[in-house]
Amino acid sequence: MIDSYLCSMSTKPQDIFPKIISHCKEYGYVFPSSEIYDGLAAVYDYGPYGVELKNNIKQYWWNAMTRINENIVGLDAAIFMAPKVWKASGHVDSFSDPMIDNKDSKKRYRADNLIEDKIAQYEKKGKTDKATALQNALDACMVENNLGGLKALIEEHEIVDETGSKNWTDVRQFNLMFGTQMGSVAETADEIYLRPETAQGIFVNFLNVQKTSRQKVPFGIAQIGKAFRNEIVARQFLFRMKEFEQMEMQFFVRPGTEMEWYAHWKQKRMNWHLSLGIAADKYRFHDHAKLAHYANAAVDIEYEFPFGFKEVEGIHSRTDFDLKQHMEHSGKKLQYFDPEINENYVPYVVETSIGADRMFLLVLCNAYTEEKLEDGSERLVLKIPPVLAPVKVALLPLLKKDGLPEKAREIMDQLRFHFRCQYDEKDAIGRRYRRQDAIGTPYCITIDHDTLVDQAVTIRFRDTMEQKRIPITEILATIQDELSEEKLLKKI
Ligand code: ATP
């Protein structure tokens, strides 16, 4: 029997989070950006295992969108876009967050985040009524854009900053876009923006894609790419970054059908998360009280991070707002002729938008497990869904001699084109298992003296630590079956 610390009362979820962050650094998942220069706030680099995990997450999303849906095609639009795009989309005028400064510590915070943290504290202490009342008051302020109201809530609930100070400025709006110049002469240069979301690259290419891929409405365009936001506060590690990646899909539909498609994508996206084997009770839907200027319905998929339930993905019914805005500002028609009803119209759009980095953090938080084993020893294991694991198979010769390393490498040569493998011959086998557990490798293959005789190996499964003897000829099929993306994607 394995006794998981995470399930016991001995380690509080909030105490786990700093451990996850240091584990990421120690095991080559994530490093602070420009670390030798003391880092750059809210910017991170992905190390050898991190880049593999992130690529696997992106690939799993990409396959779920573009492989299983014939009517979803891909796009890779540029980060720089014509400045008018951001005027048309509304970002220049209204892509802002309410911020507040602490006069003593000189630290800047998002006012709504401070209040959300207080709500989470109330919930944790079982003060449900207080939490609900504050949530309602926050929602009302956000809907009405009531900055004075936010300040009043901060004062009323005696919210302090991380140094304990209650000495706050007024709440102000702060635009999140990073501006820069394009052109060689500074005075004549146009100000352009680093895109704050990938969606606009899809909207402005709507007709290019529809015509060249010969898609009929309803159809979708999927894109993975970097986005940049001058987020006010550097907090919560990868949860809120200044440079991050989004995986977005805009689904173009006939006007009037958008609510059906909204319900469809809401469920499909939740199924995608659950297909990875993550427990359903770690997720919940959260309907938006304050709808963005472009939306007629919006919901977040939230996951229970160690610091509480937080958004990992948004599903928005964006109406025809974006296409109409771009028509108006560009003077170009962005319409579709629907042969079924013999009509021209501007399609409505249902968007699914998830952060690759936030999903990465979710996977790690969900995977990080400290276990006490029957013999009293402890093990730290990353129970990453095997399909996402950075290294799938470790090849471990029991000894560094007697032809075992050669045999292990021979097997690895058969597997390396199918899965990411790692060869390790250093230290006792138990320590090597622990090392693989700590990076989340789902399968370890041990090659011993018997292997040379019976052509069989021991396969060890990460989560259960179960060991099985299987013929070398069956390794590939066994692991392929375990990792079958087909089985998982069919659950969506
Ligand atoms: P939040 O309320 O947390 O700021 P948002 O509602 O502004 O997020 P969207 O604009 O809907 O987020 O972006 C879609 C997704 O992009 C989010 O669900 C999240 O996964 C991701 N995302 C947004 N901002 C960031 C960020 N600063 N760092 C990492 N991921 C982000």
Side-chain angles (χ1 to χ4, degrees):
M1 265 296 284
I2 297 164
D3 172 23
S4 167
Y5 277 3
L6 280 181
C7 300
S8 75
M9 299 304 285
S10 56
T11 309
K12 295 194 197 113
Q14 63 267 35
D15 298 336
I16 288 286
F17 197 50
K19 291 188 182 184
I20 294 172
I21 297 172
S22 52
H23 190 84
C24 277
K25 179 151 181 259
E26 192 183 339
Y27 285 91
Y29 270 89
V30 181
F31 308 124
S33 159
S34 336
E35 197 187 5
I36 58 168
Y37 293 98
D38 299 328
L40 183 64
V43 185
Y44 293 93
D45 298 337
Y46 288 87
Y49 298 118
V51 66
E52 297 284 346
L53 172 58
K54 197 172 172 200
N55 282 341
N56 292 344
I57 291 172
K58 290 193 281 187
Q59 195 63 49
Y60 190 64
W61 181 88
W62 189 256
N63 291 348
M65 286 297 173
T66 64
R67 279 212 193 157
I68 59 176
N69 299 292
E70 269 176 64
N71 61 350
I72 299 184
V73 291
L75 178 74
D76 183 8
I79 288 170
F80 291 134
M81 300 186 77
K84 274 187 180 171
V85 167
W86 306 110
K87 189 75 193 151
S89 66
H91 284 80
V92 172
D93 296 324
S94 61
F95 190 57
S96 51
D97 279 336
M99 63 152 208
I100 189 164
D101 290 320
N102 187 280
K103 290 186 202 160
D104 294 330
S105 68
K106 308 276 180 263
K107 286 190 191 281
R108 182 165 285 180
Y109 297 86
R110 252 174 76 174
D112 54 332
N113 286 166
L114 284 176
I115 299 169
E116 279 166 5
D117 289 349
K118 191 75 188 177
I119 294 168
Q121 282 173 22
Y122 285 148
E123 275 169 356
K124 220 164 264 157
K125 287 184 189 155
K127 299 180 179 174
T128 324
D129 290 350
K130 259 190 149 170
T132 314
L134 186 52
Q135 182 71 58
N136 292 340
L138 171 64
D139 290 345
C141 288
M142 296 300 279
V143 171
E144 291 155 16
N145 210 6
N146 179 356
L147 303 183
L150 291 174
K151 169 87 184 277
L153 289 177
I154 288 171
E155 285 176 340
E156 187 191 325
H157 291 266
E158 302 193 321
I159 294 174
V160 293
D161 90 331
E162 61 199 52
T163 65
S165 165
K166 283 192 264 185
N167 194 5
W168 296 110
T169 63
D170 286 339
V171 178
R172 279 172 292 153
Q173 288 290 6
F174 178 83
N175 193 295
L176 298 182
M177 282 200 295
F178 283 103
T180 186
Q181 255 85 42
M182 192 172 261
S184 50
V185 185
E187 304 87 73
T188 58
D190 281 331
E191 189 177 30
I192 59 166
Y193 297 101
L194 297 184
R195 67 180 177 198
E197 62 174 28
T198 56
Q200 298 305 323
I202 294 181
F203 291 124
V204 300
N205 275 298
F206 158 67
L207 274 189
N208 283 339
V209 175
Q210 187 266 320
K211 285 187 176 148
T212 52
S213 61
R214 297 186 298 123
Q215 288 290 340
K216 291 197 173 83
V217 166
F219 79 98
I221 306 178
Q223 173 166 231
I224 300 176
K226 290 258 177 171
F228 303 82
R229 296 183 187 177
N230 198 359
E231 298 278 8
I232 295 158
V233 188
R235 286 190 324 168
Q236 295 162 346
F237 194 38
L238 305 178
F239 186 82
R240 195 169 298 287
M241 301 158 85
K242 292 196 164 115
E243 173 182 341
F244 57 100
E245 259 181 294
Q246 287 186 315
M247 308 190 284
E248 295 199 300
M249 194 279 295
Q250 312 291 325
F251 200 72
F252 298 88
V253 305
R254 192 183 287 168
T257 63
E258 72 272 15
M259 283 308 159
E260 282 159 46
W261 285 110
Y262 172 71
H264 171 90
W265 281 109
K266 188 174 156 178
Q267 200 49 55
K268 287 270 166 199
R269 291 307 302 147
M270 183 60 101
N271 293 351
W272 181 84
H273 287 270
L274 300 181
S275 73
L276 288 166
I278 299 171
D281 65 0
K282 297 291 281 179
Y283 282 103
R284 72 182 185 193
F285 286 118
H286 178 249
D287 287 311
H288 282 212
K290 182 192 179 190
L291 288 176
H293 56 277
Y294 50 74
N296 65 0
V299 66
D300 291 338
I301 294 179
E302 293 187 339
Y303 171 81
E304 190 177 19
F305 287 94
F307 41 87
F309 271 100
K310 298 278 176 196
E311 168 183 349
V312 61
E313 170 155 11
I315 294 111
H316 310 122
S317 172
R318 291 180 78 127
T319 68
D320 55 0
F321 174 86
D322 302 87
L323 289 180
K324 278 209 168 134
Q325 286 293 108
H326 288 306
M327 276 173 61
E328 198 180 309
H329 284 73
S330 67
K332 308 278 172 10
K333 265 198 178 156
L334 295 173
Q335 284 185 339
Y336 170 76
F337 176 73
D338 191 329
E340 275 180 33
I341 54 171
N342 226 9
E343 244 180 59
N344 263 311
Y345 55 76
V346 179
Y348 271 44
V349 173
V350 174
E351 163 186 85
T352 74
S353 175
I354 174 170
D357 314 84
R358 218 174 261 188
M359 186 63 201
F360 181 104
L361 182 61
L362 182 161
V363 169
L364 280 181
C365 290
N366 198 69
Y368 186 92
T369 315
E370 293 172 349
E371 287 178 344
K372 208 175 186 74
L373 306 180
E374 256 180 0
D375 62 5
S377 65
E378 288 168 8
R379 83 163 178 151
L380 202 157
V381 53
L382 293 186
K383 294 185 173 175
I384 298 174
V387 70
L388 301 181
V391 176
K392 307 290 191 224
V393 191
L395 280 303
L396 314 173
L398 195 60
L399 296 176
K400 252 194 266 183
K401 54 180 189 182
D402 303 337
L404 301 186
E406 290 75 13
K407 190 70 188 168
R409 288 205 174 274
E410 188 189 307
I411 298 172
M412 181 153 147
D413 283 341
Q414 295 165 17
L415 300 179
R416 69 166 80 244
F417 294 104
H418 301 273
F419 326 106
R420 181 117 168 76
C421 301
Q422 193 173 80
Y423 175 85
D424 190 4
E425 60 177 24
K426 196 168 174 289
D427 298 323
I429 192 75
R431 287 188 70 174
R432 281 182 270 165
Y433 282 153
R434 289 290 178 277
R435 261 204 302 271
Q436 295 301 329
D437 287 343
I439 61 168
T441 306
Y443 314 106
C444 287
I445 305 277
T446 305
I447 293 91
D448 56 25
H449 289 96
D450 288 344
T451 306
L452 305 179
V453 183
D454 64 4
Q455 300 299 317
V457 293
T458 303
I459 180 165
R460 172 194 184 259
F461 298 88
R462 177 196 66 197
D463 296 352
T464 56
M465 294 190 291
E466 181 206 345
Q467 300 194 8
K468 238 169 53 183
R469 197 85 187 154
I470 58 167
I472 292 173
T473 48
E474 283 176 21
I475 300 175
L476 180 62
T478 305
I479 298 177
Q480 261 170 344
D481 184 55
E482 288 265 332
L483 289 172
S484 164
E485 228 179 80
E486 189 185 337
K487 275 193 206 159
L488 303 182
L489 291 175
K490 277 187 176 157
K491 291 187 195 162
I492 301 173

